[in-house]
């Protein structure tokens, strides 16, 4: 524990050191950022080892039986570049497209921007970085630059399809796709393609120079000629910061300089999203497009010539100015700020623990919410309603011991509040999840022939579909279908591609012990289970990860 604590302290000091370097770099034209796959994992782009597994599972005919076995048992024995060599350019492009654009048939959601992308784009916009070099194929950094309102837009270079390149002519600020883009002609990720590309990569690194501050994030450097180019560029006269996700860098000869050269600083334990948000905060680099949305509208008034449309220009400019005045209105802003303060207050962990402090009792939380809701209701986020409803139904032993009428009344009130939250802020998935739970728990307290019981259970299923808790929503939906005795509908639901993938990944969670007796007595369910897991269901294998 002392070692971890020391690493954490060291990390904080090194991030402050990095922020100081970026502040100086801004005065000298900006630092260089090199990023790899690690910055896009939380956005929905899988890392190399997962891509290998997905490639082999979806295109098995291109791989040996041994490779297919290792994909299931020991991915560490496979090399990403070698696996990609087995696929054509068309197949590789198809594979990347599934994650970048989404694929309903495969149950894959479209990648979304994460806060690493957002913070990096803001740091580029505010000139802390002048050039971003990326080995990724996804367009998420470009999308982030648009999102933060970066104008003029950075130059975008795709080096994947280029033979020779005059690196001195690159214009900054820029994003340089070193190995190509997913929409480009070439994506270089096979061993031979990367070797052939080494000269271009070396040129880019050399032209960028060792007198710039370098930051490397989300990049392993394994089996990549780019790593050789980084090694050859030494010494780094203005620091190289290597942001490492784990607690050690790759133990290869090509990486030894990172821990031995005094000009290099390795910062361990760097989750990309949290780290870049911390760096932005240390530099007082605010996310104006969220925190001060009127700034983007002000940009429109500066950069668009509204006079070029005689029929609509003046009318549109007036609208923009009106929106700016509303967003800059002190009364409106103060209301939003107060709503944020209140939500932070009721989200305090003291309210949700077994604290004896009366200032943090459930009654105090409820009275606070009831008092402030009428004053702030247009400004409140979904999280406010989430905490408010939860105070009525803490779902603990004390609550379980209440009389049925008391519990019904509490669930009714919580349901009413979460429905308000969904209407106010449908982007907050937590309210859909708990609205479904309150409907399910309320239905379980009603008599079997109560028509409202069925309505509640059907509505609960719909709310679970809209929640963020993907595995749990399948588990709770299963309970709803069992209570409804709608096994045919349950099997239709299980056969939906996203649901089936969740079941295969989280079988033990979904098939709770109390569900099993009802399921194994249903012939249709047993036939479905056997078709998926190749064995008849029983109390042992349904609670096993093996099948």
């Amino acid at each position: 524990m002392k070692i971890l604590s020391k690493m954490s302290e060291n990390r904080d000091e090194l991030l402050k050191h990095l922020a100081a370097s970026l502040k100086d770099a801004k005065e000298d034209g900006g630092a260089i950022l090199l990023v790899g796959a690690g910055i896009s994992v939380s956005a929905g782009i899988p890392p190399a080892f997962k891509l290998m597994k997905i490639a082999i599972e979806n295109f098995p005919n291109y791989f040996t039986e041994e490779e297919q076995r290792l994909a299931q048992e020991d991915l560490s024995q496979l090399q990403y570049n070698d696996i990609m060599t087995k696929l054509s350019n068309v197949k590789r492009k198809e594979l990347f497209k599934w994650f970048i654009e989404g694929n309903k048939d495969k149950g894959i959601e479209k990648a979304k921007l994460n806060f690493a992308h957002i913070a990096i784009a803001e740091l580029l916009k505010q000139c802390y970085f002048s050039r971003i070099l990326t080995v990724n194929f996804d367009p998420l950094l470009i999308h982030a630059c648009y999102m933060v309102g970066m104008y003029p837009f950075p130059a975008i270079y795709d080096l994947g399809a280029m033979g020779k390149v005059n690196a001195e002519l690159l214009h900054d600020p820029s994003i340089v796709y070193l190995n190509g883009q997913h929409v480009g002609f070439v994506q270089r990720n096979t061993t031979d393609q990367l070797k052939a590309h080494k000269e271009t990569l070396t040129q880019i690194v050399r032209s960028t120079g060792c007198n710039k501050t370098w930051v490397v994030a989300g990049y392993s450097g394994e089996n990549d000629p780019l790593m050789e180019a980084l090694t050859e560029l030494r010494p780094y006269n203005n620091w190289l910061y290597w942001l490492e996700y784990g607690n050690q860098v790759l133990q290869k000869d090509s990486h030894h300089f990172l821990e031995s050269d005094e000009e290099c600083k390795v910062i361990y334990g760097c989750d990309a999203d949290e780290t870049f948000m911390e760096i932005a905060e240390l530099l007082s680099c605010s996310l104006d497009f969220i925190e001060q949305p009127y700034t983007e509208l002000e940009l429109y008034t500066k950069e668009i010539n509204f006079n070029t449309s005689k029929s609509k220009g003046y009318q549109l400019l007036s609208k923009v100015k009106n929106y700016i005045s509303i967003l800059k209105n002190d009364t409106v802003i103060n209301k939003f700020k107060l709503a944020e303060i209140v939500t932070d207050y009721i989200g305090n962990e003291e309210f949700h623990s077994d604290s004896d402090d009366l200032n943090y009792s459930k009654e105090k939380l409820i009275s606070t919410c009831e008092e402030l809701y009428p004053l702030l209701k247009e400004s409140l986020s979904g999280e406010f309603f989430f905490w408010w409803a939860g105070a009525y139904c803490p779902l603990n032993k004390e609550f379980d011991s209440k009389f049925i009428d008391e519990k019904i009344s509490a669930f009714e009130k919580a349901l009413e509040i979460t429905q308000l939250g969904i209407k106010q802020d449908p982007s907050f998935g937590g309210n859909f999840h708990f609205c479904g739970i309150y409907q399910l728990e309320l239905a379980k307290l009603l008599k079997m022939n109560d028509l409202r019981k069925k309505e509640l259970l059907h509505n609960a299923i719909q709310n679970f579909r809209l929640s963020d808790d993907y595995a749990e929503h399948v588990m709770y939906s299963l309970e709803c279908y069992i209570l409804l005795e709608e096994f045919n509908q349950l099997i239709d639901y299980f056969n939906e591609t996203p649901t089936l993938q969740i079941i295969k990944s989280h079988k033990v969670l979904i098939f709770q012990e109390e569900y099993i007796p009802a399921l194994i007595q249903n012939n249709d369910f047993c036939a479905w289970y056997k078709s998926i897991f190749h064995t008849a269901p029983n109390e042992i294998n349904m609670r096993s990860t093996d099948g």
Side-chain angles (χ1 to χ4, degrees):
M1 292 297 289
K2 286 183 179 178
I3 293 172
L4 290 174
S5 176
K6 185 69 177 173
M7 277 182 64
S8 177
E9 289 175 18
N10 192 40
R11 176 186 179 279
D12 294 343
E13 289 305 312
L14 286 171
L15 284 180
K16 289 176 184 176
H17 193 283
L18 167 54
S21 289
L22 289 178
K23 197 171 183 180
D24 288 342
K26 181 176 180 177
E27 302 300 317
D28 196 30
I32 307 302
L33 174 64
L34 167 63
V35 296
I39 72 156
S40 292
V41 171
S42 69
I45 307 290
F49 72 93
K50 282 193 177 178
L51 271 177
M52 287 195 296
K53 183 178 172 68
I54 293 163
I56 293 170
E57 288 177 347
N58 284 276
F59 305 112
N61 295 337
Y62 294 98
F63 300 98
T64 65
E65 288 184 7
E66 176 67 3
E67 286 167 334
Q68 292 181 51
R69 183 185 68 79
L70 290 172
Q72 300 302 320
E73 297 176 8
D74 189 4
L75 279 167
S76 66
Q77 297 296 314
L78 299 173
Q79 289 291 338
Y80 173 79
N81 297 345
D82 295 339
I83 293 300
M84 290 298 140
T85 301
K86 299 275 185 96
L87 297 178
S88 67
N89 282 334
V90 171
K91 292 296 183 191
R92 289 197 298 270
K93 203 163 189 174
E94 182 182 349
L95 181 64
F96 299 132
K97 185 178 179 181
W98 292 346
F99 296 95
I100 293 167
E101 299 181 13
N103 186 306
K104 285 187 178 179
D105 293 337
K106 300 285 181 185
I108 298 170
E109 291 199 3
K110 177 184 175 182
K112 291 183 179 180
L113 297 179
N114 61 26
F115 274 100
H117 299 127
I118 294 293
I120 288 168
E122 190 65 46
L123 290 164
L124 182 67
K125 175 185 171 185
Q126 297 195 29
C127 304
Y128 290 102
F129 293 123
S130 59
R131 182 179 298 176
I132 299 173
L133 307 177
T134 176
V135 297
N136 301 338
F137 304 120
D138 67 70
L140 297 175
L141 280 174
I142 298 174
H143 294 176
C145 289
Y146 167 79
M147 193 66 73
V148 302
M150 186 171 181
Y151 188 87
F153 216 55
I156 310 296
Y157 297 101
D158 183 343
L159 305 189
M162 291 185 181
K164 292 184 178 180
V165 59
N166 188 341
E168 299 297 331
L169 295 180
L170 293 183
H171 177 79
D172 291 325
S174 63
I175 299 175
V176 183
Y177 282 85
L178 296 173
N179 297 330
Q181 298 183 74
H182 89 288
V183 292
F185 293 113
V186 176
Q187 298 84 38
R188 294 179 182 268
N189 53 16
T190 70
T191 303
D192 290 342
Q193 285 177 328
L194 289 171
K195 282 181 180 177
H197 201 42
K198 183 184 176 183
E199 186 180 341
T200 300
L201 296 175
T202 303
Q203 262 189 294
I204 292 293
V205 170
R206 282 178 182 166
S207 73
T208 302
C210 58
N211 289 326
K212 288 277 191 180
T213 298
W214 280 72
V215 181
V216 181
Y219 175 68
S220 72
E222 186 172 13
N223 301 318
D224 190 352
L226 175 61
M227 195 67 205
E228 297 173 32
L230 291 174
T231 307
E232 292 166 6
L233 188 63
R234 299 151 60 207
Y236 289 88
N237 297 324
N238 222 347
W239 306 111
L240 179 145
Y241 298 91
W242 185 280
L243 307 186
E244 177 63 38
Y245 180 77
N247 56 15
Q248 69 172 24
V249 296
L250 199 65
Q251 297 302 295
K252 289 199 168 185
D253 291 344
S254 57
H255 291 60
H256 285 171
F257 77 95
L258 294 170
E259 295 181 307
S260 61
D261 287 13
E262 63 179 18
E263 301 89 359
C264 299
K265 293 187 178 293
V266 181
I267 310 178
Y268 299 103
C270 286
D271 170 84
D273 296 305
E274 295 300 328
T275 301
F276 279 103
M277 288 296 283
E278 286 177 60
I279 292 168
E281 188 172 352
L282 287 168
L283 291 166
S284 301
C285 181
S286 62
L287 304 181
D288 286 348
F289 78 106
I290 293 175
E291 297 177 48
Q292 298 178 346
Y294 58 82
T295 56
E296 199 158 332
L297 292 174
E298 287 178 333
L299 181 66
Y300 296 169
T301 66
K302 295 173 186 174
E303 300 293 345
I304 298 173
N305 185 348
F306 286 89
N307 294 327
T308 52
S309 173
K310 293 179 181 177
S311 59
K312 288 277 188 179
Y314 178 76
Q315 180 185 352
L316 292 172
L317 178 59
S318 295
K319 276 189 177 181
V320 171
K321 287 183 174 179
N322 283 335
Y323 292 142
I324 291 171
S325 65
I326 291 168
L327 288 170
K328 293 179 85 170
N329 183 288
D330 286 341
T331 304
V332 174
I333 290 170
N334 289 337
K335 237 181 179 183
F336 274 109
K337 285 182 177 177
L338 181 56
E340 288 175 3
I341 292 167
V342 170
T343 302
D344 286 344
Y345 169 62
I346 65 172
N348 189 306
E349 63 181 32
E350 290 286 335
F351 273 123
H352 313 288
S353 64
D354 295 324
S355 173
D356 294 326
D357 189 339
L358 294 178
N359 292 315
Y360 292 102
S361 66
K362 295 288 184 290
E363 292 73 20
K364 177 67 174 176
L365 192 157
I366 290 168
S367 66
T368 300
C369 293
E370 289 179 345
E371 182 181 345
L372 292 175
Y373 170 66
L375 302 173
L376 301 172
K377 58 184 176 181
E378 295 90 357
S379 310
L380 294 165
S381 68
E383 190 180 357
F384 173 89
F385 299 91
F386 173 83
W387 294 122
W388 184 11
Y392 280 96
C393 304
L395 301 178
N396 55 25
K397 287 182 179 179
E398 183 183 347
F399 182 78
D400 287 343
S401 66
K402 289 180 179 288
F403 293 113
I404 288 179
D405 287 348
E406 289 181 288
K407 288 197 278 191
I408 288 175
S409 177
F411 282 127
E412 293 278 19
K413 187 63 180 177
L415 190 53
E416 177 190 337
I417 293 166
T418 50
Q419 286 170 336
L420 283 173
I422 288 168
K423 187 176 180 181
Q424 172 90 356
D425 183 7
S427 66
F428 186 76
N431 282 324
F432 287 103
H433 178 77
F434 274 92
C435 188
I437 286 177
Y438 299 143
Q439 287 166 329
L440 170 58
E441 293 299 326
L442 183 55
K444 285 155 71 173
L445 296 174
L446 300 178
K447 293 177 181 178
M448 283 299 295
N449 59 354
D450 193 319
L451 289 176
R452 189 167 178 236
K453 184 186 186 87
K454 285 191 174 183
E455 182 187 355
L456 284 166
L457 291 169
H458 282 126
N459 289 339
I461 291 168
Q462 291 305 311
N463 281 314
F464 290 135
R465 281 179 175 272
L466 296 168
S467 79
D468 294 331
D469 298 285
Y470 302 116
E472 284 197 6
H473 86 224
V474 177
M475 178 186 77
Y476 287 121
S477 296
L478 167 57
E479 185 174 0
C480 291
Y481 281 118
I482 290 172
L483 291 170
L484 287 162
E485 298 181 354
E486 294 180 355
F487 289 94
N488 289 333
Q489 290 90 328
L490 170 65
I491 290 165
D492 289 341
Y493 171 60
F494 276 2
N495 281 328
E496 293 175 16
T497 302
T499 308
L500 190 55
Q501 288 195 334
I502 290 168
I503 292 169
K504 288 178 177 179
S505 300
H506 304 278
K507 183 158 71 85
V508 175
L509 171 68
I510 288 161
F511 294 126
Q512 294 288 309
E513 285 184 24
E514 61 264 34
Y515 303 165
I516 292 174
L519 292 172
I520 60 179
Q521 289 175 31
N522 182 270
N523 292 333
D524 292 330
F525 172 81
C526 291
W528 172 85
Y529 187 94
K530 190 170 184 178
S531 71
I532 300 299
F533 296 105
H534 313 297
T535 184
N538 60 49
E539 293 179 355
I540 296 173
N541 63 37
M542 289 180 74
R543 298 288 296 159
S544 165
T545 55
D546 297 329

